[in-house]
Amino acid sequence: MSFSAADHQFMARALQLAWRGLYTTTPNPRVGCVLVKDGAVIGEGYTQPAGMNHAEIQALADAQAKNIDAHGATAYVSLEPCCHHGRTPPCTAALIEAGIARVVVAMQDPNPQVAGDGLNKLRAAGMATACGLLENEARELNIGFVSRMTRGQPWLRLKVAASLDGKTALNNGKSQWLTCPEARRDAHAWRARSCAILTGFGTVKDDNPSLTVREVATTRQPLRVVVDSRLETPLTARVLEGGNALLFAAVADAAKIAALRGQGVDVCILPNPQGKVDLPGLLAELARRGINEVLAEAGFRLNGSLLREGCVDELLIYQAPILLGEAARGMFDLTELTDLTGRRELEIFDMRKVGKDLRLRARLK
């Protein structure tokens, strides 16, 4: 299907609007909408926090506030309009009622409740429709939502701060600070866009982190998730302050669980046959709770376990121009290889300087 230069321009604008919901739309996807009539933009909008207006409703309201009739307009939407009743009414009905003549979408909604039916309903109402314009860009923006809808698990980024020789901490556990302030600020932006931050008890014990977003402005703090097989996290740990935390354990301790829940911390007992936390099961449980993107900030042991069990989708690595030497902790605790056929291959798709450090993003092939 061919698209005009104007189509590209207006869809690019819809994607720009969608980015405004980067930190706020979860568990819903980030969506932008532009209404165009006689070559001019008459309304714009992006998806609001869950339970509030979707992008299409916002754009229609914007046009109405300007006293412009949207009848006969083209709607450019970065994701197929929904056609089901959720927390809000279907956007397809609003577009039909407004008399929109043409709808151009970047990508089909992977939600099984939509999955093409939204476009079908619009066509049945007599609208012209087109799909696939800037699809890759739209998919990247909602990679976690797509993962949850198609795989039943969130998209997991594993963040590591390391020296140039691949060390993340001294053997005594000291690691603050390896990277520069600019890199740490950048990492907080990745925290802010994530629905959950994942760490292990080892990191809680060594660093006592809060795992909150502090370096960038956000109206929402991600859920803090701790993998703690033996339920050893103290009630005074910073990661538990204010609730909004979830502990996954392999053993049950009724008194400890009651105390945790008493201060607003949820607990999920999810053992695997080895007596550790079932990590793939953990991801499935997070997906069930509406978690789209997870940022793992853990130690080398949990990092290695996540890699070994196929839980990692993307690596986010910050490397400082320093050397720590052999007597320091590495990035991942992985089984020794005796043959290169067992190597894990990655595809580096982004590499840039952040402050004086190097930021590398790679995905497992």
Side-chain angles (χ1 to χ4, degrees), residues 27-244:
N28 293 331
R30 303 140 179 158
V31 184
C33 177
V34 176
L35 300 178
V36 178
K37 189 172 183 179
D38 298 325
V41 174
I42 63 169
E44 294 185 333
Y46 63 95
T47 296
Q48 301 300 294
M52 299 174 68
N53 287 342
H54 289 188
E56 299 92 324
I57 308 304
Q58 287 290 105
L60 289 168
D62 186 33
Q64 186 177 31
K66 298 170 182 173
N67 293 317
I68 300 175
D69 184 3
H71 190 275
T74 295
Y76 294 88
V77 194
S78 61
L79 186 71
E80 177 185 9
C82 64
C83 56
H84 64 290
H85 281 270
R87 295 183 183 179
T88 58
C91 293
T92 50
L95 293 171
I96 292 168
E97 183 179 350
I100 299 298
R102 178 178 179 236
V103 178
V104 181
V105 305
M107 65 174 286
Q108 184 173 298
D109 191 336
N111 186 342
Q113 293 181 291
V114 185
D117 283 347
L119 288 169
N120 289 337
K121 281 184 167 55
L122 297 177
R123 283 191 287 265
M127 289 186 196
T129 64
C131 182
L133 178 57
L134 301 182
E135 180 174 358
N136 289 338
E137 291 83 350
R139 186 173 296 275
E140 281 295 317
L141 178 58
N142 284 307
I143 196 165
F145 179 76
V146 172
S147 175
R148 180 164 67 89
M149 289 297 153
T150 60
R151 304 190 303 169
Q153 66 184 57
W155 184 263
L156 189 143
R157 291 186 184 90
L158 179 55
K159 176 248 175 181
V160 181
S163 62
L164 203 58
D165 53 348
K167 304 301 180 180
T168 60
L170 302 179
N171 272 339
N172 60 13
K174 292 183 178 179
S175 62
Q176 296 180 335
W177 297 100
L178 295 183
T179 53
C180 67
E182 294 87 348
R184 297 198 294 274
R185 193 173 303 116
D186 186 75
H188 273 253
W190 288 98
R191 279 187 185 180
R193 71 170 285 169
S194 303
C195 309
I197 312 298
L198 175 71
T199 196
F201 170 68
T203 298
V204 172
K205 180 178 65 174
D206 290 343
D207 299 338
N208 194 21
S210 63
L211 296 183
T212 54
V213 179
R214 300 180 299 279
E215 297 288 337
V216 298
T218 181
T219 58
R220 173 192 64 89
Q221 288 290 341
L223 176 71
R224 295 168 294 178
V225 180
V226 180
V227 178
D228 181 4
S229 293
R230 294 192 290 271
L231 212 56
E232 298 174 281
T233 300
L235 296 174
T236 56
R238 289 178 185 164
V239 75
L240 306 183
E241 289 178 357
N244 192 35

Side-chain angles (χ1 to χ4, degrees), residues 281-301:
L282 176 154
L283 291 183
E285 174 61 20
L286 291 180
R288 190 187 68 78
R289 293 171 181 243
I291 300 296
N292 293 329
E293 295 183 21
V294 175
L295 183 67
E297 299 191 31
F300 75 110
R301 288 192 178 86

